[in-house]
Amino acid sequence: MKAAILVESLTGNTWKAGELIAANLQQEGWSITGLSPVKQPDHSSIQEADTVIVGTWVHGLFVVGQAPWAVDRLRALPSMAGKQAVSFCTFALNPGKSLDVMAQALESCGAQVLGGLALHRGKLAAHAEEFAARLIDNTAAK
Ligand SMILES: Cc1cc2nc3c(=O)[nH]c(=O)nc-3n(C[C@H](O)[C@H](O)[C@H](O)COP(=O)(O)O)c2cc1C
């Protein structure tokens, strides 16, 4: 499988998670067509990929009002028609319904959304491994 990874990150956690996910997928034989910022998406990496992985971070008041950061930028990503998409968000306390909001945004880009996972910022390595394992299982089951 070929995956493009797009990341929105302020302090680096989500970018790190993207790198860890890439490494985990590569270990299982996937190729990564590119890792680029949502702000400046690498269009050719999206075109080349069959799976687009999009990550951002959760902002809000920690227990209320949580939302994925820059959801407007997610909605403005290039067309993903004919591709599958998966999301992840990093968070500190509680991601709220951030993944649902991300799924809607990716659907609006034409992707078939498989799902998503919230990654705790203190457990990035373990949660990135879990994300990659679930994605591989989900794709293999098709
Ligand atoms: C302004 C601000 C608001 C935040 N609000 C929340 C929140 O409501 N819930 C939560 O779980 N984490 C919240 N966080 C924590 C971030 O989601 C977490 O640190 C994330 O990993 C940051 O990703 P980044 O390093 O890629 O920017 C907030 C962080 C900031 C800076």
Side-chain angles (χ1 to χ4, degrees):
M1 300 293 288
K2 290 190 218 165
I5 306 182
L6 302 168
V7 171
E8 178 73 38
S9 183
L10 182 68
T11 62
N13 295 332
T14 317
W15 190 266
K16 178 94 204 284
E19 289 176 339
L20 290 166
I21 288 168
N24 278 290
L25 291 173
Q26 279 172 323
Q27 268 176 20
E28 297 299 322
W30 283 43
S31 51
I32 304 301
T33 59
L35 169 61
S36 60
V38 168
K39 277 185 203 106
Q40 282 176 293
D42 175 357
H43 289 237
S44 62
S45 75
I46 298 172
Q47 273 162 12
E48 245 187 279
D50 39 58
T51 305
V52 183
I53 300 171
V54 180
T56 187
W57 55 281
V58 174
H59 77 104
L61 299 174
F62 286 88
V63 283
V64 290
Q66 303 95 328
W69 182 253
V71 73
D72 287 348
R73 278 204 279 267
L74 301 190
R75 290 193 193 104
L77 283 169
S79 167
M80 297 179 196
K83 300 181 190 296
Q84 56 185 23
V86 229
S87 65
F88 68 93
C89 58
T90 68
F91 71 100
L93 265 189
N94 182 341
K97 296 196 188 314
S98 297
L99 290 173
D100 294 342
V101 177
M102 291 182 78
Q104 282 165 15
L106 296 177
E107 269 164 16
S108 77
C109 299
Q112 183 207 350
V113 181
L114 298 182
L117 191 67
L119 281 55
H120 192 281
R121 70 178 179 190
K123 297 178 188 160
L124 286 184
H127 288 181
E129 200 178 326
E130 173 77 23
F131 178 95
R134 285 203 205 177
L135 176 55
I136 290 164
D137 281 356
N138 207 304
T139 313
K142 289 194 148 195

